Amino acid sequence: MTIQERLSPASLYRQCDPAQFSFQTTADLDDSIAIIGQDRAVDAIQFGISMVQDGYNLFALGPNGVGKYTAVCRYLDQYAHNKPTPPDWCYVYNFAQPHQPNAISLPAGKANELSQDMAHLLDELFTVLPVTFESEEYQTQRQAIQDRLQARQEDGLEKLDESARQESVALIKTPQGFAIAPLQEGEVIRPEQFQKLTDEEKQQYEQTIEKFQNNLQKLMRQMPQWSRQSREEVRQLNQEMATFSVSPLFTDELIKKYEAYPEVVDYLETVKVDVIQNADKFLQVDDSSSGGQNPMMALMQARQQQTAVSPFFNRYQVNVLVDNSQTHGAPVIYADHPTFANLIGRVEHEARMGALFTDFSMIKPGSLHRANGGYLILDARKVLLNPQSWECLKRVLQSGEIRIEPLEYSLGLMSTATLEPEPIPVEVKVVLLGERHLYYLLYQLDPDFAELFKVAADFEEEMMRNEANSLLYAQFISSLADRENLHAFSREAVARIIEYSSRLAGDAERLSTHMQPMADLMREASYWSGQNHHELVQPADVEKAIEAQRYRNGRIRERMQEMILRETVLIDTDGAVVGQINGLSVISVGQHSFGQPSRITARVRLGKGEVIDIERQVELGGPLHSKGVLILSGFLGGRYAGKRPLSLTASLVFEQSYGGVDGDSASSAELYTLLSAMSGVPIKQSFAVTGSVNQRGQVQAIGGVNEKIEGFFDICQARGLTGEQGVLIPAANVKNLMLRHDVVEAVAEGQFNIYPVETIDEGIELLTGMSAGKMDEDGRYPPETINRRVADYLDSLAETQRSFLENGKVKH
């Protein structure tokens, strides 16, 4: 290979010709497009949405920024708009079992209407019942019951008194109650007079008193029974009056209004019965503060005070859990904080007198309630990070119902009595958004996952770069500019953005579908357009935005380059050294990646045929890097040790590396270094090398080729370009080149060089200026070639080892 075989400037950067576009600015384009390059994912989304069978939930997988959320929302909104609006859901008091509130489903908008009707009914009850029980008719009937009780008691006492007087005793009333006393001539005998009576008279009086005392006790035992009968009559009267006044409110109004909904009718009937049984609760209002107020206003104020103080009346409320009155079509809900309680709802508590209190009115809905009958979008990572959220979601999808319970219950950590709301049946399509590794981990480790999420919408990270897709990109730019009120883009600016998209994709033949960084670039280009007082975004504005991003994120890159230029970190860009080469690596810091040269050195000596990776020995080398080093041993053994032992030990190291090293992109550089060390031929330090190698000596493609070239170029440019400097890259990476303009210009001016190599032999010739040499029919290499020198060196090591063994100087 000769110097003329370096890459031409046209190979380093694929330009986008603005002339291919028929528009002048993006304002001329249709701006309705929002998703590009995701045909496979879109088909999966449309399929998953349309499938109504159980288990056909979706998992949209792909890296952040490729438009998963945008695509899912776009198609869900379109599809959901034509779906029927789901019903409302509400909880009502369970009069039979108060700790188990009942769930009622109503058509959209009806639950809120029922809640308002019940609130209005409560107001009516606080008006109607007091008026009813203060009426003259009621007071007259109640007084009659009381009068009958009193008359019955008095009649019993009078008859007893008459009977007693006939036998010279009388019924008298004392502070301690009723008593039987002896009479003489119609007057009660005083104690001192009673003592003067004969014993016979005393005995007769005592027998008579005892007789009537027993009769009095019988009468007194009957009186509580008469009182109970009287109270029962009052209760029946109250029920009759309450039924008379309340029934029209229910039968003529509410029950008739909701007669099409049997569950509501049953509920209203139980409310009616409970109101009649507890009518007295509506009468316990304090009117002492009414003063001279209007009676109706005073009554309303008293009612508000009563309901505020007593939670008893909460039982007549309706807790509207889901109100779809403003929903058109099926709901599409995105839950950005999918905790256990936020998914299935919760029962809140209120502190009262140092204790926690709750009732059915404190039941709050979760995202699954709001999405019932529609679609729920969740971030898979957030769901998995929240305790029990994943298990809760699976349980809902498997059971087809939402059961509200505290997290402590699901974990078996609490046995305190609380509400157990009736489960609500659920019909929801769940869409998870997440990265690929989450999808494959769940698929492999969770046996339920494959049954519940049968549709995978796999989002592409790049698409083909052609005229059709370039036009789609322009339409996307137009859509974003219109949606976010950005400046319109000239077609030349669109062409520059498309070129940057290829750079972001790391491939001149592809366009990136990572729309988040592309959208950020468009926003920033529009900003700089405004700063430069341009009506349209021009290529210079796009370039300014790119350079501004690079500068904002470039502190670490500049500091590391500064350490090289100040020779704190040793990197040579001229001269030639045996067993030393400039390798290239990529460092990623946040969203910014840059290339960095590293010195790689090799030392060889007599040994037992192993290549020692110093990075691995000190546990700084990753498995991929270690694999690359082991491949070197396979290459050396296969090429040079077919008929002789490989009697050397070689050590490789990344000099001045203080962190982890991984990847095999430096394996070709390490092999060049070994060949230089074994052959004694120096390597030109004006070159840097990247590329992996296999055991046959073929140079293979690597990632980050643009950043690596630019990283070495920046160092050479800072020291002064000589025309001798350059980078060796795998030939397979030529299609990935989308280099910065200053690098392309330097190559065009002959100040910098980029060489594609396919084999190690091609690379070593460039690096040393000496022919690699090809093995002849006798199995030998031509003299004064790299391979001949390496073979001769290995022969000398083998001979030395043999002589040591023969002389007994090596102990086994």
Side-chain angles (χ1 to χ4, degrees), residues 575-650:
V577 180
V578 174
Q580 177 178 301
I581 198 170
N582 294 320
L584 295 171
S585 59
V586 174
I587 298 174
S588 296
V589 182
Q591 297 180 348
H592 182 58
S593 298
F594 59 91
Q596 183 76 10
S598 301
R599 175 177 288 181
I600 302 174
T601 60
R603 301 301 295 268
V604 294
R605 58 193 181 275
L606 181 66
K608 53 184 179 180
E610 63 177 347
V611 178
I612 299 174
D613 177 14
I614 294 179
E615 308 294 334
R616 182 183 181 186
Q617 296 296 317
V618 297
E619 298 183 352
L620 286 178
L624 294 179
H625 178 260
S626 299
K627 174 187 175 183
V629 173
L630 293 174
I631 288 174
L632 304 186
S633 299
F635 172 82
L636 295 175
R639 174 168 288 195
Y640 303 113
K643 297 181 179 180
R644 67 174 72 86
L646 194 62
S647 305
L648 91 161
T649 294

Side-chain angles (χ1 to χ4, degrees), residues 450-484:
E451 298 179 5
L452 297 175
F453 292 88
K454 297 181 179 180
V455 182
D458 198 350
F459 280 73
E460 300 283 356
E461 299 177 57
E462 56 188 34
M463 62 182 182
M464 289 295 297
R465 178 176 170 180
N466 51 41
E467 289 190 9
N469 285 340
S470 294
L471 181 58
L472 288 176
Y473 233 90
Q475 290 176 323
F476 171 76
I477 296 171
S478 174
S479 175
L480 182 72
D482 181 71
R483 189 167 62 251
E484 299 193 8

Side-chain angles (χ1 to χ4, degrees), residues 791-806:
D792 291 346
Y793 176 72
L794 292 174
D795 286 341
S796 67
L797 289 180
E799 185 62 31
T800 301
Q801 188 180 52
R802 187 181 303 112
S803 65
F804 271 98
L805 290 172
E806 290 175 354

Side-chain angles (χ1 to χ4, degrees), residues 142-336:
R142 180 163 183 168
Q143 186 63 43
I145 294 173
Q146 293 176 348
D147 291 345
R148 286 197 297 272
L149 173 63
Q150 185 175 358
R152 190 174 187 181
Q153 291 174 343
E154 291 176 353
D155 183 62
L157 292 173
E158 287 177 1
K159 288 181 179 180
L160 180 64
D161 184 53
E162 289 176 0
S163 300
R165 287 182 180 275
Q166 291 177 3
E167 298 188 26
S168 299
V169 292
L171 177 67
I172 62 173
K173 188 173 183 180
T174 69
Q176 290 78 27
F178 290 99
I180 303 297
L183 291 179
Q184 191 174 44
E185 297 180 358
E187 296 293 333
V188 176
I189 301 175
R190 290 192 298 273
E192 59 273 14
Q193 292 177 338
F194 186 80
Q195 294 298 327
K196 295 178 180 180
L197 297 175
T198 63
D199 292 340
E200 183 179 352
E201 290 175 331
K202 288 180 181 178
Q203 184 177 4
Q204 184 177 358
Y205 272 121
E206 288 174 355
Q207 291 177 351
T208 304
I209 289 173
E210 182 179 0
K211 170 185 173 184
F212 283 99
Q213 190 70 40
N214 292 334
N215 293 339
L216 176 61
Q217 289 178 357
K218 292 178 181 179
L219 179 62
M220 296 305 293
R221 283 196 296 269
Q222 286 180 325
M223 285 186 178
Q225 182 178 356
W226 296 341
S227 297
R228 285 194 298 272
Q229 293 174 351
S230 179
R231 288 195 298 272
E232 179 62 24
E233 292 178 7
V234 171
R235 189 187 67 79
Q236 290 179 357
L237 173 63
N238 289 345
Q239 287 193 359
E240 291 174 2
M241 296 301 293
T243 302
F244 176 78
S245 60
V246 165
S247 292
L249 298 179
F250 285 89
T251 307
D252 297 342
E253 296 182 19
L254 288 179
I255 293 179
K256 185 176 182 180
K257 180 178 180 180
Y258 294 98
E259 60 184 356
Y261 312 111
E263 288 182 326
V264 178
V265 172
D266 292 343
Y267 165 67
L268 292 175
E269 291 288 357
T270 58
V271 172
K272 175 183 173 182
V273 171
D274 190 75
V275 167
I276 293 172
Q277 292 177 348
N278 295 282
D280 58 312
K281 301 285 187 182
F282 293 87
L283 310 179
Q284 299 172 4
V285 294
D286 181 12
D287 59 353
S288 61
S289 61
S290 61
Q293 292 184 11
N294 181 287
M296 183 59 67
M297 293 295 296
L299 189 62
M300 291 178 63
Q301 185 178 40
R303 180 259 171 177
Q304 293 173 354
Q305 294 174 353
Q306 180 73 1
T307 54
V309 171
S310 173
F312 173 84
F313 298 101
N314 287 347
R315 63 174 59 195
Y316 303 123
Q317 295 179 2
V318 173
N319 181 5
V320 180
L321 202 68
V322 179
D323 179 17
N324 285 315
S325 59
Q326 303 301 317
T327 303
H328 303 287
V332 178
I333 304 296
Y334 173 68
D336 61 347

